[in-house]
Amino acid sequence: MKNLTLVAGPGTNDHPITTTSPAMDPDIWSRLPKELLEQILSFLPLKTLWNLRSTCKHFKSLVFSLPFISKHSPSSSSSSPSPFSSFVLLHHPQCNHRFPLYDSALGTWRDSALSLSDFLPCKSPAFSLLSISNGLFCFSLPRSSSFLVCNLLARTSRLIEFPSYPFAYELFTLVSTPFGYKLFMLSTGSTSTSTSAFVYDSSVLSWKQFRGFDQILSNNYQREGVCFNGCLYFLTPEPFSLVTFDLETGKWKRSDTELPGDLTFGRLLNDEEGTLYMIGGIGRDGISRSMKLWELNGARDWVEVESLPEMICRKFVSVCYHNYEHVYCFWHRGMICVCCHTWPEILYYKVSKKTWHWLPKCPYVPDKWSSGFKWFSFVPKLYAPV
């Protein structure tokens, strides 16, 4: 880049000539340290940064390099706002190709739903949205015996074949890592009665199978794991206990962490800062008289954070008719969202304000939809690799 300066020619004021300012000497700027160049680029607006890809190969490789992405991609914990809105996304089996979006930044439902009809590489309607994490969608494509992981914003995808055929699985969990993701699930082989854990690692593009699964989760357990300190945490049905699975070693362990007394049900979730929460009911004989929120502290004790207001609690337990198998929860941009498969509304707790609210009902959901509601947190990330 050159800085052109007009100076007067010798002996006349009528014909100025152009010279190059020494301060912008290309020989100097070409030796700019890489870390300074990255710092300068990080201050550019997203649109400008995106357009820089076509200027030179160096900028294109830099913008998409993992160190630059991990260093300068904004997060919910940083002071820099994300360049994209964040959404609560609704998936329902009666509207499988289109997903209504609630814009949590604007506090309103979007007029148009997210459509996948033109994106999925398979024209067959036989697919299922399994999970969303770190801006990535993961679908099951049973007719092609594979999973599809895709970044809708970057228009990138990867087809991951099942590790074996046939392949039935449960407890599917999509786990985000600093430079990719892992897929976890349990599966019982067609010729064996033993259950194995399977983990797909995007950094090596391969599966690992961990045998010798100890049956410490009941056969009807359907909750996905919550990643915390490199392990997946599961809360077993009664008698309640915490079970962990180490994603690296494949070892299962029953935690000795004591759970709150008189627990009728519990659901685990975590935030971006690595805090593990549990929301659950307190009561007797399977009936919740109250609902509380706990946080796991450094001493491995559950500390009560909040108790659900009585009127809101009454509405929620009446919604699920004390059938807590329909209840699930997730973290979304400073909110703890508590949902029910049979109810088209979301109850959420605003952590910063310590207040409980109901998310407005989606105006595009027909009244005849009485069950099958599945909500996800969707925070688009341009650089999330597949």
Short mmCIF file of all heavy atoms in Angstrom, two decimals, residues 274-307:
data_model
loop_
_atom_site.label_atom_id
_atom_site.label_comp_id
_atom_site.label_asym_id
_atom_site.label_seq_id
_atom_site.Cartn_x
_atom_site.Cartn_y
_atom_site.Cartn_z
N GLY A 274 -17.94 -23.08 31.68
CA GLY A 274 -17.60 -24.36 32.27
C GLY A 274 -18.28 -24.64 33.59
O GLY A 274 -17.81 -25.48 34.36
N THR A 275 -19.37 -23.93 33.89
CA THR A 275 -20.12 -24.17 35.12
C THR A 275 -21.19 -25.22 34.86
O THR A 275 -21.91 -25.16 33.87
CB THR A 275 -20.79 -22.87 35.61
OG1 THR A 275 -19.79 -21.87 35.81
CG2 THR A 275 -21.52 -23.11 36.93
N LEU A 276 -21.27 -26.20 35.76
CA LEU A 276 -22.26 -27.26 35.63
C LEU A 276 -23.46 -26.93 36.51
O LEU A 276 -23.31 -26.66 37.71
CB LEU A 276 -21.67 -28.60 36.05
CG LEU A 276 -22.55 -29.84 35.83
CD1 LEU A 276 -22.78 -30.06 34.34
CD2 LEU A 276 -21.90 -31.08 36.45
N TYR A 277 -24.64 -26.94 35.90
CA TYR A 277 -25.89 -26.66 36.61
C TYR A 277 -26.78 -27.90 36.62
O TYR A 277 -26.63 -28.80 35.77
CB TYR A 277 -26.67 -25.53 35.93
CG TYR A 277 -26.02 -24.17 35.98
CD1 TYR A 277 -25.24 -23.72 34.92
CD2 TYR A 277 -26.22 -23.32 37.07
CE1 TYR A 277 -24.67 -22.45 34.94
CE2 TYR A 277 -25.65 -22.06 37.10
CZ TYR A 277 -24.87 -21.63 36.03
OH TYR A 277 -24.30 -20.38 36.06
N MET A 278 -27.73 -27.90 37.54
CA MET A 278 -28.78 -28.91 37.55
C MET A 278 -30.09 -28.23 37.94
O MET A 278 -30.13 -27.46 38.89
CB MET A 278 -28.48 -30.03 38.53
CG MET A 278 -29.60 -31.09 38.60
SD MET A 278 -29.21 -32.53 39.63
CE MET A 278 -29.07 -31.76 41.24
N ILE A 279 -31.12 -28.50 37.17
CA ILE A 279 -32.45 -28.03 37.53
C ILE A 279 -33.31 -29.27 37.77
O ILE A 279 -33.21 -30.27 37.04
CB ILE A 279 -33.07 -27.12 36.46
CG1 ILE A 279 -34.36 -26.50 36.98
CG2 ILE A 279 -33.29 -27.85 35.14
CD1 ILE A 279 -34.83 -25.31 36.18
N GLY A 280 -34.12 -29.24 38.82
CA GLY A 280 -34.89 -30.44 39.15
C GLY A 280 -36.03 -30.14 40.10
O GLY A 280 -36.19 -29.02 40.60
N GLY A 281 -36.83 -31.18 40.34
CA GLY A 281 -37.97 -31.06 41.22
C GLY A 281 -37.69 -31.63 42.59
O GLY A 281 -36.90 -32.56 42.74
N ILE A 282 -38.34 -31.06 43.59
CA ILE A 282 -38.25 -31.53 44.97
C ILE A 282 -39.64 -31.95 45.42
O ILE A 282 -40.61 -31.19 45.27
CB ILE A 282 -37.69 -30.44 45.91
CG1 ILE A 282 -36.27 -30.06 45.49
CG2 ILE A 282 -37.71 -30.91 47.36
CD1 ILE A 282 -35.25 -31.16 45.65
N GLY A 283 -39.77 -33.16 45.95
CA GLY A 283 -41.07 -33.63 46.40
C GLY A 283 -41.00 -35.06 46.89
O GLY A 283 -39.94 -35.57 47.25
N ARG A 284 -42.14 -35.73 46.84
CA ARG A 284 -42.23 -37.12 47.29
C ARG A 284 -43.10 -37.92 46.33
O ARG A 284 -43.99 -37.37 45.68
CB ARG A 284 -42.84 -37.20 48.70
CG ARG A 284 -42.00 -36.57 49.81
CD ARG A 284 -40.75 -37.39 50.10
NE ARG A 284 -39.95 -36.78 51.15
CZ ARG A 284 -40.11 -37.01 52.45
NH1 ARG A 284 -41.10 -37.81 52.86
NH2 ARG A 284 -39.33 -36.42 53.33
N ASP A 285 -42.82 -39.23 46.27
CA ASP A 285 -43.63 -40.16 45.48
C ASP A 285 -43.77 -39.72 44.01
O ASP A 285 -44.83 -39.86 43.40
CB ASP A 285 -45.02 -40.31 46.10
CG ASP A 285 -44.97 -40.80 47.54
OD1 ASP A 285 -44.12 -41.67 47.83
OD2 ASP A 285 -45.76 -40.30 48.36
N GLY A 286 -42.70 -39.16 43.48
CA GLY A 286 -42.69 -38.76 42.07
C GLY A 286 -43.45 -37.50 41.76
O GLY A 286 -43.61 -37.15 40.58
N ILE A 287 -43.90 -36.76 42.77
CA ILE A 287 -44.63 -35.52 42.56
C ILE A 287 -43.77 -34.35 43.03
O ILE A 287 -43.33 -34.31 44.19
CB ILE A 287 -45.97 -35.51 43.34
CG1 ILE A 287 -46.83 -36.69 42.92
CG2 ILE A 287 -46.70 -34.20 43.13
CD1 ILE A 287 -47.25 -36.67 41.47
N SER A 288 -43.52 -33.41 42.14
CA SER A 288 -42.70 -32.24 42.48
C SER A 288 -43.56 -31.17 43.13
O SER A 288 -44.55 -30.73 42.55
CB SER A 288 -42.01 -31.67 41.23
OG SER A 288 -41.14 -32.61 40.66
N ARG A 289 -43.16 -30.76 44.32
CA ARG A 289 -43.83 -29.66 45.01
C ARG A 289 -43.13 -28.33 44.74
O ARG A 289 -43.73 -27.26 44.93
CB ARG A 289 -43.88 -29.94 46.51
CG ARG A 289 -44.52 -31.25 46.89
CD ARG A 289 -45.96 -31.32 46.41
NE ARG A 289 -46.58 -32.61 46.76
CZ ARG A 289 -47.77 -32.97 46.35
NH1 ARG A 289 -48.48 -32.17 45.56
NH2 ARG A 289 -48.27 -34.16 46.69
N SER A 290 -41.91 -28.40 44.33
CA SER A 290 -41.15 -27.19 44.00
C SER A 290 -40.06 -27.56 43.00
O SER A 290 -39.76 -28.75 42.79
CB SER A 290 -40.53 -26.57 45.25
OG SER A 290 -39.58 -27.45 45.83
N MET A 291 -39.50 -26.54 42.34
CA MET A 291 -38.39 -26.74 41.41
C MET A 291 -37.26 -25.79 41.77
O MET A 291 -37.50 -24.63 42.11
CB MET A 291 -38.84 -26.51 39.96
CG MET A 291 -39.74 -27.60 39.41
SD MET A 291 -40.32 -27.27 37.72
CE MET A 291 -38.75 -27.18 36.84
N LYS A 292 -36.03 -26.31 41.70
CA LYS A 292 -34.88 -25.52 42.11
C LYS A 292 -33.76 -25.63 41.09
O LYS A 292 -33.73 -26.55 40.25
CB LYS A 292 -34.37 -25.99 43.49
CG LYS A 292 -35.38 -25.80 44.63
CD LYS A 292 -34.81 -26.26 45.95
CE LYS A 292 -35.83 -26.11 47.08
NZ LYS A 292 -36.14 -24.68 47.34
N LEU A 293 -32.85 -24.66 41.18
CA LEU A 293 -31.67 -24.63 40.33
C LEU A 293 -30.44 -24.70 41.22
O LEU A 293 -30.33 -23.94 42.19
CB LEU A 293 -31.64 -23.35 39.48
CG LEU A 293 -30.40 -23.10 38.62
CD1 LEU A 293 -30.31 -24.13 37.50
CD2 LEU A 293 -30.43 -21.69 38.04
N TRP A 294 -29.52 -25.62 40.89
CA TRP A 294 -28.29 -25.78 41.66
C TRP A 294 -27.07 -25.58 40.75
O TRP A 294 -27.15 -25.76 39.54
CB TRP A 294 -28.20 -27.17 42.28
CG TRP A 294 -29.24 -27.51 43.28
CD1 TRP A 294 -29.22 -27.31 44.63
CD2 TRP A 294 -30.49 -28.17 43.01
NE1 TRP A 294 -30.36 -27.79 45.23
CE2 TRP A 294 -31.16 -28.32 44.25
CE3 TRP A 294 -31.11 -28.63 41.85
CZ2 TRP A 294 -32.40 -28.93 44.35
CZ3 TRP A 294 -32.35 -29.23 41.95
CH2 TRP A 294 -32.99 -29.37 43.18
N GLU A 295 -25.96 -25.25 41.39
CA GLU A 295 -24.67 -25.11 40.71
C GLU A 295 -23.64 -25.96 41.43
O GLU A 295 -23.59 -25.99 42.66
CB GLU A 295 -24.24 -23.64 40.71
CG GLU A 295 -22.87 -23.38 40.13
CD GLU A 295 -22.45 -21.93 40.27
OE1 GLU A 295 -23.35 -21.04 40.21
OE2 GLU A 295 -21.24 -21.67 40.47
N LEU A 296 -22.82 -26.67 40.65
CA LEU A 296 -21.77 -27.50 41.24
C LEU A 296 -20.55 -26.62 41.51
O LEU A 296 -19.96 -26.07 40.58
CB LEU A 296 -21.40 -28.65 40.29
CG LEU A 296 -20.46 -29.72 40.86
CD1 LEU A 296 -21.12 -30.47 42.00
CD2 LEU A 296 -20.02 -30.67 39.76
N ASN A 297 -20.18 -26.48 42.78
CA ASN A 297 -19.06 -25.60 43.12
C ASN A 297 -17.73 -26.34 43.09
O ASN A 297 -17.66 -27.54 42.79
CB ASN A 297 -19.29 -24.94 44.49
CG ASN A 297 -19.29 -25.95 45.64
OD1 ASN A 297 -18.93 -27.11 45.46
ND2 ASN A 297 -19.70 -25.49 46.80
N GLY A 298 -16.66 -25.63 43.42
CA GLY A 298 -15.33 -26.21 43.36
C GLY A 298 -15.11 -27.35 44.33
O GLY A 298 -14.23 -28.20 44.12
N ALA A 299 -15.88 -27.38 45.40
CA ALA A 299 -15.77 -28.46 46.39
C ALA A 299 -16.62 -29.66 46.01
O ALA A 299 -16.77 -30.59 46.81
CB ALA A 299 -16.17 -27.94 47.77
N ARG A 300 -17.17 -29.65 44.81
CA ARG A 300 -18.01 -30.73 44.29
C ARG A 300 -19.30 -30.89 45.08
O ARG A 300 -19.80 -32.00 45.29
CB ARG A 300 -17.24 -32.06 44.28
CG ARG A 300 -15.83 -31.99 43.74
CD ARG A 300 -15.80 -31.55 42.29
NE ARG A 300 -16.33 -32.56 41.41
CZ ARG A 300 -16.49 -32.40 40.09
NH1 ARG A 300 -16.19 -31.23 39.54
NH2 ARG A 300 -16.97 -33.37 39.35
N ASP A 301 -19.85 -29.77 45.54
CA ASP A 301 -21.12 -29.77 46.23
C ASP A 301 -22.14 -29.01 45.39
O ASP A 301 -21.81 -28.03 44.71
CB ASP A 301 -21.00 -29.09 47.60
CG ASP A 301 -20.09 -29.85 48.55
OD1 ASP A 301 -20.14 -31.09 48.53
OD2 ASP A 301 -19.32 -29.20 49.29
N TRP A 302 -23.40 -29.45 45.47
CA TRP A 302 -24.47 -28.76 44.78
C TRP A 302 -24.99 -27.63 45.66
O TRP A 302 -25.50 -27.86 46.75
CB TRP A 302 -25.60 -29.72 44.44
CG TRP A 302 -25.25 -30.70 43.37
CD1 TRP A 302 -24.93 -32.01 43.52
CD2 TRP A 302 -25.14 -30.43 41.96
NE1 TRP A 302 -24.64 -32.59 42.31
CE2 TRP A 302 -24.78 -31.64 41.33
CE3 TRP A 302 -25.33 -29.30 41.17
CZ2 TRP A 302 -24.59 -31.74 39.95
CZ3 TRP A 302 -25.16 -29.39 39.79
CH2 TRP A 302 -24.79 -30.60 39.20
N VAL A 303 -24.86 -26.40 45.16
CA VAL A 303 -25.27 -25.21 45.90
C VAL A 303 -26.53 -24.65 45.24
O VAL A 303 -26.55 -24.41 44.02
CB VAL A 303 -24.16 -24.14 45.90
CG1 VAL A 303 -24.63 -22.89 46.64
CG2 VAL A 303 -22.89 -24.69 46.54
N GLU A 304 -27.57 -24.44 46.02
CA GLU A 304 -28.82 -23.92 45.47
C GLU A 304 -28.63 -22.49 45.00
O GLU A 304 -28.12 -21.64 45.73
CB GLU A 304 -29.93 -23.99 46.52
CG GLU A 304 -31.29 -23.53 46.00
CD GLU A 304 -32.40 -23.65 47.02
OE1 GLU A 304 -32.33 -24.57 47.87
OE2 GLU A 304 -33.33 -22.82 46.98
N VAL A 305 -29.06 -22.23 43.77
CA VAL A 305 -28.95 -20.90 43.17
C VAL A 305 -30.29 -20.17 43.22
O VAL A 305 -30.37 -19.01 43.61
CB VAL A 305 -28.46 -20.99 41.71
CG1 VAL A 305 -28.44 -19.61 41.06
CG2 VAL A 305 -27.08 -21.63 41.65
N GLU A 306 -31.34 -20.85 42.81
CA GLU A 306 -32.66 -20.22 42.73
C GLU A 306 -33.74 -21.27 42.97
O GLU A 306 -33.54 -22.47 42.75
CB GLU A 306 -32.88 -19.59 41.35
CG GLU A 306 -32.25 -18.22 41.17
CD GLU A 306 -32.91 -17.14 42.00
OE1 GLU A 306 -34.13 -17.23 42.24
OE2 GLU A 306 -32.21 -16.21 42.40
N SER A 307 -34.90 -20.79 43.39
CA SER A 307 -36.09 -21.62 43.51
C SER A 307 -37.16 -21.02 42.61
O SER A 307 -37.36 -19.81 42.58
CB SER A 307 -36.57 -21.67 44.97
OG SER A 307 -37.70 -22.52 45.09
#
